[in-house]
Amino acid sequence: MIRIFLMATLLMVMVCTKAQQTTPVYKDMSATLEERVKDAISRMTTHEKIKVLHAQSKFTSAGVPRLGIRQLNMDDGPHGVREELEWNTWMPARWTNDSIVAFPSLTCLAATWNQELSSLYGHSLSEEFAFRGKDVLLGPGVNIARTPLNGRAFEYMGEDPVLAAKMAVPYIVAAQKNGVACCLKHFVLNDQETDRFRVNVNVSERALREIYLYPFEKAVKEAHVWSVMGSYNLWKGVHCCHSDELLNGILKKEWKWDGALISDWGGTTNTQEAVHGGLDIEMGTFTDGKLKESEFTYDDYYLAQPFEKLINEGKVPMKVLDEKVARVLRLIFRTAMNPEKVIGSQCSEEHYDACRKIAEEGIVMLRNQSSKNSPAVLPLEATKYKKVLIVGENATRSLTQGGGSSELKTLRDSSPLDALKKALTEANSTINIDYAQGYASGRSMYDHVDKVSQDENDRLKKEAIEKAADADLIIFIGGLNKNHKQDCENGDRESYNLSFGQNELITALAEAKQQTAIIVVVTFGGNPYAMPWIQQTDAILHCWYLGSESGTALANVMTGKVSPSGKLPVTFAAKYEDYPYVKFGKEAYPGVDKQVHYKEDIFVGYRGFEKNKTAPLFPFGFGLSYTSFDYTDIQAERAADGNFNISVTVSNTGSVAGKETVQLYVAAPKTKVMEKPAKELKAFAKTRTLKPGESQTLTMTIKPQDLASWDENSHQWVSDSGKYTVMAAASSADIKGKCTINL
């Protein structure tokens, strides 16, 4: 026993001695960030430098334990912290303390047009990331909604680069203030999921700059985002995760960005391009949980042993390695080793409250016009109805599950069915509320469709129509979901129509009750869709994905506790063929021979609808309210700094309190040099809640550089001198007044 004790003591002494020898001597936290980075690099071995450039597990990259430099803990996603996974598989770790608040989708956030809510979103979400020990939040996404079929559009912020930029910046600033890095994604042109790993995107230099790079540039220059995620697709024949022209040329040199470029998981394909193309951290290469570690390890990554071999053989200069390491160390020091990083919290009531507020303001009322020439049906007056039938799978289905990497494990969710039952019965204790599922879509599965038999859907449809026989109010709650080939990563939608027989079901319900019942349609989803039944309905609400407070937020809007104030961040076309790119055929989408051509150029979304003189079903920026607003005193003033300040007075002329978003569109003077859109969004602002009769003056700033276009001959931004028309609008199709500015 004595011998064992002595051996144990000796071992402890040896361990302690070694620990003392490897204790970091670099502890000066008062040093500047760059001093800390430079000092750390000087103490690192080549192998230690290589280790920090690639994954060591599914969602971590290594630190330098010998120097006390911590690893980076990353996690999906833009709407909530993903549940913990096993170290080296995609299987859940089955923790019992990783349930979180699901925040609304980023399409919903964009639909609020409220930058204060964007800041609240970033703050609240990053608190949950910090509490879970995460350093890097993989989001937000600012890819452009070019096609309504994009399965991942719900993770992005709409079709307009200015809207996406102005909503992303406050989110990023608030999150990073808490010591959690945002990883802005997907850089760039990842605007479809079809062939996302292989498709080469062909786009004009002008469209690339004015539309697709714009929100990324603003996030870099105004929010100083700490990390960016490269996209899977190719541009100019090179994968965007290691494109020298894109990453080194534009992002790092031209924009003077000092952050770390992280690959999308599995987006790295070549050592030479990864080394010289601007990639800093390689994640997810081949280690998909299906291969044994003996077959392919983290040390086999393109930026691992192959890169180290090139360094040791002198084939790549050490300065190339050190530049990458410096960027990774900045990210570590800003997050994992940031003494001001917040402790955070998880599932706090403040977070649920933030979720509900964002959800309420993101709901867009598209129609509130009775098909029976009776007064508007929303907000619902429960005392007017005896029997209410709620139909539709999304009334009860969890829409926080599925969708791919943004799937969330929530502590509690509020369903539309439960919340509406509660709200309506509180207002009318004698009301009878029934439910019929109406259709079935199957389980949410990644990369697979769980098919439901036609017999089952016929049975559910028949049951719903039978239950509708004596209902005087029918609320249909459907739309899209997060199944594969709906709103889900790694697959696009197959049709512009609603799936699972919903169009036929809505039509059958409306025809059966055309003269006797009110029909309200509520849809969820990240994309527009066709509405062949629109004239047979009395009211339509589009809800995107509302997160954990989904039901409560919907009930509050439908019953009038909150007046809807959401505005569309995308154009809803009457039919799929109306979208600007469609007329160019398959070359424009989804591509031919792995080549896709953005032939509509800068005329994406409302720009293209206006150019083609195609009337949309619902225009970009559209959204109804329970009250009405007047716009007056639209004025422009040139400030001392050269910027233009545009002021608009908004008055609530209705009978209930509400908020309004003023959108500023600008029409440039005509020029023979390049074709310009009829108008483009340049600024927006949202009022506070205005009581009936109350007014508020909003002032928005337009900078001269905001009026510039990209010139492909000089490869720079240029502005045309002359008179610009500024339009204050309630949507892209509803101009309330104009003024002019001279440049």
Side-chain angles (χ1 to χ4, degrees):
M1 291 292 294
I2 294 175
R3 183 178 180 184
I4 295 174
F5 174 79
L6 290 174
M7 291 178 64
T9 303
L10 179 61
L11 180 61
M12 289 179 63
V13 170
M14 291 173 64
V15 170
C16 291
T17 301
K18 187 173 183 180
Q20 289 176 349
Q21 291 173 344
T22 59
T23 296
V25 294
Y26 177 66
K27 296 181 179 179
D28 185 7
M29 301 302 289
S30 66
T32 66
L33 176 64
E34 292 309 309
E35 288 172 340
R36 294 172 66 191
V37 168
K38 184 177 180 181
D39 183 87
I41 290 176
S42 72
R43 300 174 188 276
M44 294 169 66
T45 66
T46 298
H47 185 64
E48 287 170 339
K49 293 176 182 179
I50 292 290
K51 291 286 284 186
V52 304
L53 302 186
H54 61 84
Q56 64 175 359
S57 75
K58 277 288 172 284
F59 283 99
T60 70
S61 59
V64 187
R66 182 179 65 84
L67 297 177
I69 297 174
R70 296 177 182 173
Q71 67 185 32
L72 282 172
N73 298 322
M74 314 175 195
D75 217 335
D76 295 311
H79 313 129
V81 196
R82 189 174 183 172
E83 71 175 315
E84 293 298 325
L85 301 182
E86 294 178 343
W87 185 257
N88 189 36
T89 78
W90 290 109
M91 297 299 294
R94 302 196 182 282
W95 288 15
T96 58
N97 62 348
D98 58 345
S99 296
I100 49 81
V101 174
F103 290 88
S105 64
L106 292 188
T107 45
C108 181
L109 176 62
T112 70
W113 294 65
N114 188 330
Q115 292 173 284
E116 291 181 4
L117 286 184
S118 180
S119 181
L120 176 64
Y121 195 124
H123 168 71
S124 304
L125 179 59
S126 63
E127 283 194 324
E128 300 226 343
F129 268 78
F131 190 79
R132 286 271 299 279
K134 308 300 181 184
D135 306 307
V136 182
L137 185 171
L138 301 177
V142 290
N143 293 90
I144 299 299
R146 176 178 178 256
T147 170
L149 303 184
N150 184 2
R152 214 167 181 180
F154 70 98
E155 293 188 37
Y156 305 137
M157 298 197 194
E159 70 186 33
D160 184 84
V162 171
L163 175 61
K166 289 184 178 294
M167 293 303 291
V169 166
Y171 175 121
I172 295 167
V173 170
Q176 295 188 163
K177 185 177 180 181
N178 286 337
V180 175
C182 286
C183 187
L184 190 68
K185 60 185 190 181
H186 299 90
F187 192 67
V188 64
L189 301 169
N190 188 176
D191 308 312
Q192 64 185 63
E193 291 298 286
T194 300
D195 291 328
R196 62 175 178 161
F197 296 102
R198 297 169 296 275
V199 70
N200 183 68
V201 179
N202 299 272
V203 60
S204 74
E205 185 181 348
R206 182 185 177 194
L208 177 68
R209 292 287 188 159
E210 292 187 21
I211 304 295
Y212 300 99
L213 282 177
Y214 184 91
F216 289 96
E217 182 176 5
K218 293 299 180 181
V220 166
K221 293 182 176 180
E222 296 181 12
H224 308 290
V225 65
W226 291 340
S227 62
V228 171
M229 182 185 292
S231 59
Y232 288 128
N233 54 280
L234 294 83
W235 174 62
K236 294 189 175 181
V238 179
H239 284 276
C240 289
C241 278
H242 35 62
S243 164
D244 177 61
E245 183 176 354
L246 183 65
L247 305 183
N248 289 326
I250 296 175
L251 180 61
K252 295 182 176 180
K253 293 178 183 177
E254 181 184 327
W255 295 352
K256 296 178 172 55
W257 181 64
D258 69 353
L261 195 288
I262 302 173
S263 75
D264 204 340
W265 271 234
T268 312
T269 61
N270 180 284
T271 293
Q272 285 290 339
E273 288 181 356
V275 168
H276 297 289
L279 179 62
D280 300 313
I281 301 178
E282 178 186 0
M283 300 296 295
T285 303
F286 296 132
T287 46
D288 59 1
K290 298 176 183 177
L291 296 173
K292 296 179 180 178
E293 278 296 300
S294 60
E295 295 180 48
F296 191 92
T297 72
Y298 292 103
D299 288 334
D300 293 317
Y301 274 30
Y302 295 108
L303 286 184
Q305 288 178 351
F307 187 15
E308 187 170 5
K309 185 173 183 291
L310 293 175
I311 292 289
N312 291 336
E313 292 175 351
K315 295 180 179 178
V316 174
M318 183 62 73
K319 66 179 182 180
V320 174
L321 173 59
D322 285 350
E323 198 270 341
K324 295 179 185 297
V325 174
R327 291 177 177 275
V328 177
L329 289 174
R330 286 189 199 108
L331 184 56
I332 293 173
F333 292 155
R334 285 166 168 165
T335 58
M337 296 179 68
N338 182 349
E340 297 182 359
K341 183 177 181 179
V342 301
I343 296 173
S345 59
Q346 184 170 292
C347 295
S348 68
E349 289 307 312
E350 289 80 6
H351 292 173
Y352 283 107
D353 187 53
C355 174
R356 178 185 50 76
K357 288 179 180 177
I358 296 163
E360 289 170 347
E361 287 204 24
I363 294 172
V364 182
M365 185 162 67
L366 297 175
R367 179 178 173 88
N368 196 19
Q369 176 183 348
S370 176
S371 59
K372 306 166 189 63
N373 297 317
S374 59
V377 299
L378 295 177
L380 295 175
E381 294 181 40
T383 54
K384 292 175 59 176
Y385 305 105
K386 295 180 179 179
K387 182 176 180 181
V388 176
L389 176 65
I390 298 175
V391 180
E393 188 183 59
N394 282 351
T396 60
R397 184 185 183 91
S398 171
L399 295 175
T400 59
Q401 298 177 10
S405 60
S406 64
E407 180 170 8
L408 298 172
K409 176 183 174 181
T410 54
L411 182 65
R412 72 173 197 241
D413 286 335
S414 166
S415 78
L417 179 62
D418 290 342
L420 283 170
K421 277 185 175 181
K422 183 175 184 291
L424 294 175
T425 54
E426 284 179 352
N428 179 2
S429 60
T430 63
I431 198 168
N432 183 327
I433 301 175
D434 199 1
Y435 171 68
Q437 183 173 322
Y439 69 94
S441 65
R443 296 168 294 169
S444 295
M445 302 173 68
Y446 181 77
D447 211 26
H448 293 85
V449 174
D450 184 23
K451 293 185 178 180
V452 178
S453 71
Q454 187 61 49
D455 288 344
E456 175 64 7
N457 267 314
D458 288 344
R459 182 189 68 79
L460 293 171
K461 177 182 176 182
K462 180 181 178 182
E463 177 190 40
I465 294 173
E466 289 174 351
K467 286 191 173 186
D470 56 349
D472 51 4
L473 170 63
I474 299 172
I475 303 173
F476 177 84
I477 303 179
L480 306 177
N481 59 29
K482 293 183 179 178
N483 288 10
H484 181 53
K485 296 188 177 179
Q486 292 288 302
D487 284 330
C488 186
E489 182 182 359
N490 203 35
D492 286 343
R493 297 168 63 196
E494 295 181 313
S495 171
Y496 188 54
N497 289 311
L498 294 178
S499 299
F500 320 120
Q502 292 180 77
N503 283 346
E504 294 77 12
L505 175 58
I506 296 170
T507 300
L509 291 170
E511 289 176 350
K513 304 301 299 179
Q514 189 66 37
Q515 301 302 320
T516 58
I518 297 297
I519 310 290
V520 177
V521 173
V522 177
T523 54
F524 290 83
N527 274 298
Y529 55 90
M531 301 181 190
W533 33 259
I534 185 171
Q535 296 302 326
Q536 297 171 284
T537 62
D538 301 290
I540 302 171
L541 293 172
H542 187 59
C543 298
W544 319 104
Y545 295 109
L546 302 181
S548 291
E549 287 290 279
S550 179
T552 304
L554 176 61
N556 286 349
V557 169
M558 291 189 72
T559 59
K561 287 185 178 180
V562 174
S563 179
S565 63
K567 302 276 190 173
L568 291 178
V570 291
T571 302
F572 273 55
K575 59 183 185 300
Y576 175 70
E577 290 73 20
D578 291 343
Y579 283 96
Y581 67 87
V582 177
K583 69 178 182 179
F584 298 106
K586 291 183 178 180
E587 282 191 346
Y589 174 82
V592 176
D593 296 329
K594 311 304 178 188
Q595 299 286 331
V596 63
H597 296 261
Y598 287 15
K599 292 189 174 183
E600 76 281 12
D601 202 54
I602 64 167
F603 295 95
V604 180
Y606 68 92
R607 293 169 171 83
F609 279 82
E610 293 181 352
K611 177 185 177 182
N612 299 334
K613 294 180 169 50
T614 303
L617 183 63
F618 296 109
F620 174 79
F622 177 83
L624 300 175
S625 172
Y626 292 151
T627 190
S628 56
F629 299 95
D630 273 357
Y631 293 37
T632 56
D633 300 326
I634 302 167
Q635 299 179 10
E637 181 180 281
R638 192 75 182 263
D641 59 6
N643 295 331
F644 299 97
N645 292 326
I646 314 298
S647 60
V648 181
T649 299
V650 179
S651 302
N652 184 344
T653 57
S655 58
V656 299
K659 295 182 178 182
E660 173 69 338
T661 297
V662 175
Q663 304 159 41
L664 292 186
Y665 296 86
V666 175
K670 292 184 178 180
T671 172
K672 296 181 180 179
V673 178
M674 63 177 73
E675 187 178 11
K676 299 289 183 69
K679 60 178 177 292
E680 295 180 283
L681 181 73
K682 295 298 180 183
F684 59 88
K686 195 165 189 173
T687 68
R688 64 177 183 272
T689 299
L690 298 178
K691 298 177 182 178
E694 189 177 7
S695 300
Q696 180 182 358
T697 298
L698 300 173
T699 301
M700 291 151 278
T701 299
I702 297 176
K703 300 177 181 179
Q705 54 264 40
D706 295 337
L707 305 175
S709 299
W710 186 263
D711 181 68
E712 295 186 343
N713 294 317
S714 62
H715 308 291
Q716 61 184 353
W717 294 99
V718 296
S719 297
D720 297 314
S721 60
K723 183 180 294 184
Y724 290 75
T725 302
V726 180
M727 293 161 265
S731 78
S732 62
D734 187 5
I735 309 302
K736 299 294 188 180
K738 302 177 181 180
C739 63
T740 59
I741 56 178
N742 289 294
L743 189 64

